[in-house]
Amino acid sequence: MAVLFVNGKFCKDPRLVTADDFVFQGLNIPRPVNDPVGTTLTLINVDQLPGLNTLSVALTRIDFAPNGGENPPHLHPRASEIFLALEGTFFVGFVTSFPDYKLFTKVLNKGDIFVFPQGLIHFQVNLGKTNAVGFAFFESQNPGIIRVADAVFGSNPPINPFILARAFQLDPNVVKNLQAKFGNNN
Amino acid sequence: MAVLFVNGKFCKDPRLVTADDFVFQGLNIPRPVNDPVGTTLTLINVDQLPGLNTLSVALTRIDFAPNGGENPPHLHPRASEIFLALEGTFFVGFVTSFPDYKLFTKVLNKGDIFVFPQGLIHFQVNLGKTNAVGFAFFESQNPGIIRVADAVFGSNPPINPFILARAFQLDPNVVKNLQAKFGNNN
Amino acid sequence: MAVLFVNGKFCKDPRLVTADDFVFQGLNIPRPVNDPVGTTLTLINVDQLPGLNTLSVALTRIDFAPNGGENPPHLHPRASEIFLALEGTFFVGFVTSFPDYKLFTKVLNKGDIFVFPQGLIHFQVNLGKTNAVGFAFFESQNPGIIRVADAVFGSNPPINPFILARAFQLDPNVVKNLQAKFGNNN
Amino acid sequence: MAVLFVNGKFCKDPRLVTADDFVFQGLNIPRPVNDPVGTTLTLINVDQLPGLNTLSVALTRIDFAPNGGENPPHLHPRASEIFLALEGTFFVGFVTSFPDYKLFTKVLNKGDIFVFPQGLIHFQVNLGKTNAVGFAFFESQNPGIIRVADAVFGSNPPINPFILARAFQLDPNVVKNLQAKFGNNN
Amino acid sequence: MAVLFVNGKFCKDPRLVTADDFVFQGLNIPRPVNDPVGTTLTLINVDQLPGLNTLSVALTRIDFAPNGGENPPHLHPRASEIFLALEGTFFVGFVTSFPDYKLFTKVLNKGDIFVFPQGLIHFQVNLGKTNAVGFAFFESQNPGIIRVADAVFGSNPPINPFILARAFQLDPNVVKNLQAKFGNNN
Amino acid sequence: MAVLFVNGKFCKDPRLVTADDFVFQGLNIPRPVNDPVGTTLTLINVDQLPGLNTLSVALTRIDFAPNGGENPPHLHPRASEIFLALEGTFFVGFVTSFPDYKLFTKVLNKGDIFVFPQGLIHFQVNLGKTNAVGFAFFESQNPGIIRVADAVFGSNPPINPFILARAFQLDPNVVKNLQAKFGNNN
């Protein structure tokens, strides 16, 4: 039978549900960080953890490279977030919406939390000289992640560079260059 | 007495409500377009139209300059949108979220509508040689607007340019240059 | 395989989604108006536009006959509405609920918008001598439309006329006469 | 200090809340029925019972006159309903929305329940020769009640009778006559 | 074809829906009460009444044995409740959450209603010398019922008795004894 | 001016908001554990962190005493939870609702997460010989905590012991003894 797609997910037959549907293991294990911005995302949403279905919670482990490894400006289209600084020192911030575009920032030490409202662009940067780790908690089983540079310059297919050149006040050749870089990331 | 701020807005005393609380006039009148990207936004949300309070609807008139005037890559943190092409021909698109960042685009003619899901980055560009007009309808009394370039490069105060340089794979001086341009826009 | 019905709609397989799922064309084209009250509804909800699924937006184009063509007293059971007067001059109004049943009315000119709260009975009437056009935007993918006279006097099968006679303080023969008229409309 | 109006209601200071805020007494006592349609509504929503605030429940006791006393065609703009036939035999029904306007009806005996979906026009009629009583439960602290005839013909001020004449395919003088009757009811 | 499980329930094909999908009969008939605590629950949710699907309402008839028959401390994880004292006199109460755990109680006579907020532990006890009957209405199609003693001491399989001994400050043998009693109830 | 209470919380004047409204510090610092069940809760909801207002997120740090220190059977009336095992090894479980009361359990090691659905009774127990720490994340700004034993046996004022004796099948003197113990805890 063909796969069916519904709003959210199909629920498992309740008689077949086990405790394993509610657990995800090994989030203490460091992940290698190889991307140019210096972070690795381990997203646990309803796709990885079926028991989240209908429950409005999800979580991401974020590993940061040292010396400015960053979770670059990004947003979650369907959830607000609490960020927990587990290991390391972070510079974090978010920008409010039109027309003020006000930036709120804070330095977080180990054990501090910070709140990022739904849909606002925000970032976290590792200020330390060693790897750092944070956890992001979301109030949605499928919050979504949009890294702004990836979406704008790395979409598939690319956005017409003349549109981006005008939007970002950049030379079209600079845009094409960015698209080449970010296109490779995906 | 000091102003109070609550979730949403205070409701007016029902005995004092009049029909004027539910109307906004003159959205047929063209607005001048002077900004560099070539669009003027006329946002009618609960701040302009008190009768919207608690009703989950709002609307924007968008005036586009000719020859590529664009509503540049932006998003609405709290609402999905229907865009109605009122006058002109448009190139529109949106990008899905991580990890696919898939771009969906379409040419819209007068009388066409297009749907933009909540929180996704999208744009509309005037393909014609004359002014164009669109209406964006939202399912929130306060959908919010975040133009990506304004939020990232034009925040107040600016984001540390070294963070943006790494995030966008740009030379820090290019970032500073962009911040100078977009900071002036706000 | 038999058709399945779920809350809302099945989502299409994401890999098969195209930009066409998010577009509906030709809402600028006038529709003929032939019904006795003088309006034609072109409703674009999730049935016509699959990309609306889960997004809480929908839209109706309303064509009005000249000289009092009306979108007669009706309501939307699952959404509030913004009405945009696109062409023409309108007399619009809504009635609040028990016990006040207060009527709020306004004359709208081209480019004016008016808000109708969810579930309240409201109407729009073309005051001009030529055809008029409005757009109604809804904060639901399936707002529903209930024209009061059609539902009360034109249901299928008809409501017992003695019930309606008492409810509307009408002679049962007047009710039967109305049921004959409205039954033919459906 | 002036009264303030917010979405919903102000919450009482939690330290001052008592069990009395959660109770309403005497709903077993028959209410006299004097109106022409033959029902008396005793609505207990957040205005009568402060403890309902934020809890999404409300209730109405409905007393029916014998021999066809009816809760005439009406709707609740913000809630679905369960109707419980407490005493008596009822004929109940609701009409679906455009374009089908399908009528579903049932005879209810003492102890039967029936469900009326949000915003749909429905009615209950006492089929017995003695008084009857029902309870309607709502999933909102403020469901709202709109009796169609009262809203359409008894609004304050009245709707222009020529609009109603066309909408209901009635002679304007019949409409004016109805408005005189229903205007007196409010 | 295998049964499918979705969020909520599948909707019936609208063309096959009948009035019977919206009715449940015979809730006036007394139910025998045989359990040790002295109540019988007749829960009508979306499983018993398909027309409740998507409508956020459900209902329970509760039959109470005389002389202290009780609906013991319990909660509804997904709905607030209105309790209607149909026949008899009741002692009812609920306890607020951490840290206050404040108890609110009231004596209800026939025709009184009481509100129990979502998720709070509450109870109803028959103070009379004859059977009593109440109705509980919920703002969910599937509110859920959790009797505290059944969940804690009667789960399947049992909770480790040493965990419960510490939690309830009871001797482990008392816990095992309770588990033997409540395990038999399920 | 008297304090006002609204649904949720008043929002701060946006012009006065600072980054400090979005941060809470020092959640890495171990809390002493002195209560008999062996856990200390550090709840960060909208009362401690004003920036959570309207954002549907909150968090608790839980410190566990060694050798069976437990977060005893409890529930959250307004939110589902993700539990993150930060330090230590845990035995965790939850019980489904009537009529199955099925127990799902799992041993969690450092770095594992487990999901607890809204309103269900659940527990976490430290299996190790040293202190343990977990974080519970909630999808509500005010999830609420109800420890079953505290609410049932430690309410203020106490529940009539004869009601609890019947509900829990305990001798009334055992109940009174429990009430003495748990009443002292509050």
Side-chain angles (χ1 to χ4, degrees), chain D residues 25-55:
Chain D
Q25 297 174 314
L27 286 171
N28 60 317
I29 300 168
R31 271 67 179 171
V33 183
N34 298 316
D35 78 340
V37 295
T39 38
T40 295
L41 302 179
T42 305
L43 173 59
I44 312 303
N45 68 14
V46 68
D47 293 323
Q48 286 78 34
L49 184 42
L52 288 180
N53 200 12
T54 78
L55 296 189

Side-chain angles (χ1 to χ4, degrees), chain B residues 14-29 44 49 51-52 54-59 80-82 84 86 94 102 104-118 135-140, chain C residues 14-29 44 49 51-52 54-59 80-82 84-86 94 102 104-118 135 137-140:
Chain B
R15 292 162 299 183
L16 303 179
V17 168
T18 71
D20 288 338
D21 293 316
F22 297 93
V23 74
F24 189 94
Q25 297 174 313
L27 286 172
N28 60 317
I29 300 169
I44 313 303
L49 184 44
L52 289 180
T54 78
L55 296 190
S56 295
V57 278
L59 174 154
S80 293
E81 168 185 346
I82 290 185
L84 167 65
L86 197 67
F94 69 84
K102 220 164 159 178
F104 291 100
T105 61
K106 200 79 193 171
V107 171
L108 300 186
N109 294 301
K110 181 178 176 166
D112 295 350
I113 59 173
F114 199 86
V115 187
F116 299 105
Q118 178 176 331
F135 275 89
F137 167 78
F138 304 104
E139 35 104 29
S140 163
Chain C
R15 292 161 300 182
L16 304 179
V17 168
T18 71
D20 287 339
D21 293 316
F22 297 93
V23 75
F24 190 92
Q25 296 174 313
L27 287 171
N28 60 317
I29 300 169
I44 311 304
L49 184 44
L52 289 179
T54 78
L55 296 189
S56 294
V57 279
L59 171 156
S80 294
E81 168 185 346
I82 290 184
L84 167 67
L86 195 67
F94 69 85
K102 220 164 160 176
F104 291 99
T105 61
K106 200 79 193 171
V107 172
L108 300 187
N109 294 301
K110 181 180 175 164
D112 295 350
I113 59 173
F114 199 86
V115 187
F116 299 105
Q118 178 176 330
F135 275 89
F137 297 89
F138 304 104
E139 36 104 27
S140 162

Side-chain angles (χ1 to χ4, degrees), chain B:
Chain B
M1 195 188 82
V3 174
L4 291 173
F5 294 82
V6 288
N7 298 349
K9 296 278 167 181
F10 277 99
C11 284
K12 208 169 166 175
D13 180 343
R15 292 162 299 183
L16 303 179
V17 168
T18 71
D20 288 338
D21 293 316
F22 297 93
V23 74
F24 189 94
Q25 297 174 313
L27 286 172
N28 60 317
I29 300 169
R31 271 66 180 172
V33 184
N34 298 316
D35 78 341
V37 294
T39 38
T40 295
L41 303 179
T42 306
L43 172 59
I44 313 303
N45 70 14
V46 68
D47 292 322
Q48 286 78 36
L49 184 44
L52 289 180
N53 200 12
T54 78
L55 296 190
S56 295
V57 278
L59 174 154
T60 300
R61 176 191 165 101
I62 313 167
D63 289 82
F64 293 79
N67 303 313
E70 63 178 85
N71 193 6
H74 67 284
L75 64 102
H76 308 287
R78 291 179 296 273
S80 293
E81 168 185 346
I82 290 185
F83 178 81
L84 167 65
L86 197 67
E87 292 293 339
T89 301
F90 298 88
F91 180 69
V92 306
F94 69 84
V95 181
T96 65
S97 56
F98 170 87
D100 292 334
Y101 295 117
K102 220 164 159 178
L103 173 69
F104 291 100
T105 61
K106 200 79 193 171
V107 171
L108 300 186
N109 294 301
K110 181 178 176 166
D112 295 350
I113 59 173
F114 199 86
V115 187
F116 299 105
Q118 178 176 331
L120 298 193
I121 294 176
H122 59 288
F123 58 85
Q124 300 111 7
V125 182
N126 179 6
L127 295 181
K129 294 180 176 169
T130 55
N131 280 357
V133 183
F135 275 89
F137 167 78
F138 304 104
E139 35 104 29
S140 163
Q141 69 179 36
N142 183 19
I145 298 172
I146 299 175
R147 287 187 164 186
V148 169
D150 287 343
V152 171
F153 296 110
S155 71
N156 178 11
I159 297 174
N160 181 318
F162 293 94
I163 293 175
L164 296 181
R166 184 162 186 176
F168 286 84
Q169 309 275 301
L170 287 167
D171 184 273
N173 287 322
V174 175
V175 170
K176 287 176 192 168
N177 192 13
L178 287 170
Q179 289 183 318
K181 285 186 199 163
F182 283 98
N184 289 337
N185 291 343
N186 292 334

